[in-house]
Amino acid sequence: MAKEELPYELNDLFPHMVKWRRHLHRYPELSFQEEKTSRFIAERLLEMGCEVREKVGGYGLVAAIKGNLPGPVIALRADMDALPIQDEKDCEYASTVKGVMHACGHDGHTAALLAVASYYQKHREGLAGERRLLFQPAEESTPGGAVSMIRDGALEGADAVYGVHLWTPLPYGQVSSKPGAFMAATDEFTIEITGLGGHGGMPHKTIDTVIIGSALVQALQTIVSRSVNPLDSAVVTIGSFHAGTANNVIAEKCELKGTIRTFNEYERERIRKRIEQMVRHTCEMHGAKYQFDLRVGYPPVVNDEREAARFMQVGEQLFGAEAVQVSDAIMVAEDFSYYLQRVPGCFMFVGAGNEEVGASYAHHHPMFNFDERAMKDAASLLIAMAENYADEAEK
């Protein structure tokens, strides 16, 4: 399977990628609800002649393309769920579903992997081993679709796994990744405080949960600065604070919601315990009651060192040395981490930002869009990574 064939064949497939992506963008579905999305993907795969296994870990699909030659089993993954965000773009493929949109590029990931399926299906005779394409549901919501797909055997017998993310902070034409810890573990927590409400003019008769909650917001910010090793990275963010109903009423209840981001399990567990200690001591000091609920999220994305080196080599071959970057670690989470806990692999960013086509908004923004040409880069990178691995395994 000569690498010089890739640009030509993917150029030919590009109009199909755009068509598939725009259909998915018009009809997005939330995590764990991707029934029509899954059916659309299955129909395209069956039209290509692929062997398709449906309802894997929910609405997930696995397309197994097996060559006539012996070789490794290489898994390639795309996610396909949307977000609870109202699409504010003015374009002909804007979301038709109120309050739901593809605001993170998963529609593009799916379209690119469909192109990969088409490519491999045409080259089955010369294929060494198996290329297993994973169309995953529910990346955006814990516990995530990766866990259930793995439980249903999606990675069984796999030798390597690769995934891409179209990334608008990175300009179109560039790609990036890094060895080791790449993306953060994430946990979410809710703190409910119950005090004693009363008249705003008689605070001495109350237990003011606004005061307690405010003290906690300030105290929790000291965890990273005073309880975490300065050489480690971590984030504790309070994203929601709700209390009170009127300007002259002292609130009886207060609710805080936040997130924890870390790169190693030691600091992750340490921060969880430290938050609960602070909540308990602060509430006891003021005579309030509390409930602390922790929702454990995804582990960190940790790229295999050897596979990250493969990315650098393959990226330079495809795009040129100047287009390949070693990324900084970022505090965004991804459930691709579960695949990497089972099988060596690499998660990679493909530049999709371009102000000229309106692709300059952040991921999860109501105006989010990406340069659609990046889908061709994503498909090229996935194929090239798989074939480089297969070539090495053959030697």
Side-chain angles (χ1 to χ4, degrees):
M1 199 173 299
K3 291 182 176 60
E4 58 267 20
E5 295 173 355
L6 290 177
Y8 172 78
E9 295 208 23
L10 291 177
N11 279 334
D12 192 47
L13 284 167
F14 180 61
H16 297 281
M17 292 188 228
V18 172
K19 181 180 178 181
W20 296 328
R21 180 260 167 157
R22 293 187 178 187
H23 171 87
L24 294 169
H25 202 85
R26 290 188 190 99
Y27 306 106
E29 293 178 297
L30 296 172
S31 302
F32 306 106
Q33 300 176 27
E34 309 94 334
E35 182 178 7
K36 293 178 181 177
T37 300
S38 182
R39 189 65 230 157
F40 174 83
I41 297 167
E43 288 171 356
R44 304 292 80 74
L45 292 169
L46 291 169
E47 288 171 359
M48 297 171 193
C50 294
E51 174 189 327
V52 183
R53 182 180 164 211
E54 299 185 56
K55 296 184 178 179
V56 181
Y59 289 115
L61 303 103
V62 175
I65 303 174
K66 299 174 183 178
N68 294 330
L69 303 173
V73 177
I74 302 172
L76 307 173
R77 175 268 207 171
D79 39 17
M80 60 187 187
D81 53 328
L83 286 155
I85 299 172
Q86 179 62 41
D87 195 347
E88 295 181 1
K89 293 190 304 298
D90 182 15
C91 63
E92 55 91 12
Y93 55 88
S95 173
T96 62
V97 182
K98 185 177 181 181
V100 182
M101 74 171 287
H102 276 288
C104 203
H106 295 188
D107 49 344
H109 303 164
T110 297
L113 196 58
L114 282 171
V116 171
S118 178
Y119 176 86
Y120 275 127
Q121 191 64 15
K122 291 177 183 177
H123 290 274
R124 290 184 69 169
E125 289 187 5
L127 184 65
E130 177 187 333
R131 304 297 173 266
R132 188 177 299 168
L133 312 185
L134 314 181
F135 293 87
Q136 182 204 303
E139 187 280 324
E140 295 287 1
S141 299
T142 55
V147 171
S148 55
M149 288 197 73
I150 292 169
R151 189 182 302 123
D152 279 0
L155 278 187
E156 187 174 339
D159 297 292
V161 62
Y162 304 114
V164 295
H165 203 305
L166 301 177
W167 197 242
T168 57
L170 193 66
Y172 165 71
Q174 297 185 17
V175 292
S176 72
S177 188
K178 73 179 295 292
F182 181 24
M183 303 175 76
T186 177
D187 299 311
E188 299 172 352
F189 60 88
T190 300
I191 303 164
E192 295 180 356
I193 304 168
T194 302
L196 180 63
H199 197 288
M202 302 176 70
H204 58 295
K205 299 283 188 179
T206 70
I207 299 173
D208 190 343
T209 59
V210 170
I211 294 294
I212 300 168
S214 299
L216 266 176
V217 170
Q218 295 295 320
L220 293 176
Q221 297 311 301
T222 68
I223 291 176
V224 172
S225 66
R226 289 296 176 267
S227 298
V228 173
N229 186 328
L231 299 179
D232 291 328
S233 297
V235 168
V236 176
T237 292
I238 302 297
S240 174
F241 187 130
H242 289 282
T245 56
N247 62 346
N248 62 345
V249 177
I250 289 176
E252 183 163 343
K253 293 184 180 294
C254 174
E255 181 187 75
L256 308 178
K257 292 183 178 181
T259 185
I260 307 165
R261 306 287 168 128
T262 52
F263 285 108
N264 66 69
E265 288 301 320
Y266 173 79
E267 294 295 1
R268 190 180 191 186
E269 183 62 25
R270 181 178 172 83
I271 289 173
R272 291 171 183 165
K273 291 179 178 178
R274 194 78 181 100
I275 290 174
E276 186 161 18
Q277 287 174 349
M278 286 187 167
V279 172
R280 181 174 70 251
H281 293 158
T282 303
C283 289
E284 287 177 352
M285 180 174 65
H286 290 274
K289 297 179 181 179
Y290 75 93
Q291 181 172 331
F292 175 72
D293 293 318
L294 178 75
R295 186 173 185 177
V296 176
Y298 306 150
V301 172
V302 182
N303 283 331
D304 181 83
E305 299 275 342
R306 186 171 181 176
E307 296 309 320
R310 188 186 310 280
F311 159 76
M312 299 298 170
Q313 175 192 345
V314 168
E316 288 187 13
Q317 292 173 350
L318 281 178
F319 308 112
E322 69 285 352
V324 181
Q325 297 185 14
V326 178
S327 175
D328 292 331
I330 65 170
M331 287 293 179
V332 176
E334 240 285 352
D335 76 344
F336 193 81
S337 54
Y338 290 113
Y339 299 115
L340 292 172
Q341 287 184 334
R342 300 296 186 95
V343 179
C346 189
F347 195 63
M348 304 159 285
F349 284 169
V350 174
N354 185 349
E355 289 187 8
E356 293 181 3
V357 298
S360 57
Y361 290 93
H363 290 252
H364 296 204
H365 189 281
M367 291 288 287
F368 176 81
N369 208 349
F370 60 82
D371 190 324
E372 290 178 317
R373 294 176 297 171
M375 294 187 293
K376 188 166 57 177
D377 288 352
S380 296
L381 184 57
L382 287 171
I383 294 170
M385 288 289 289
E387 296 320 298
N388 185 280
Y389 184 100
D391 290 345
E392 185 178 281
E394 189 179 351
K395 294 176 182 178

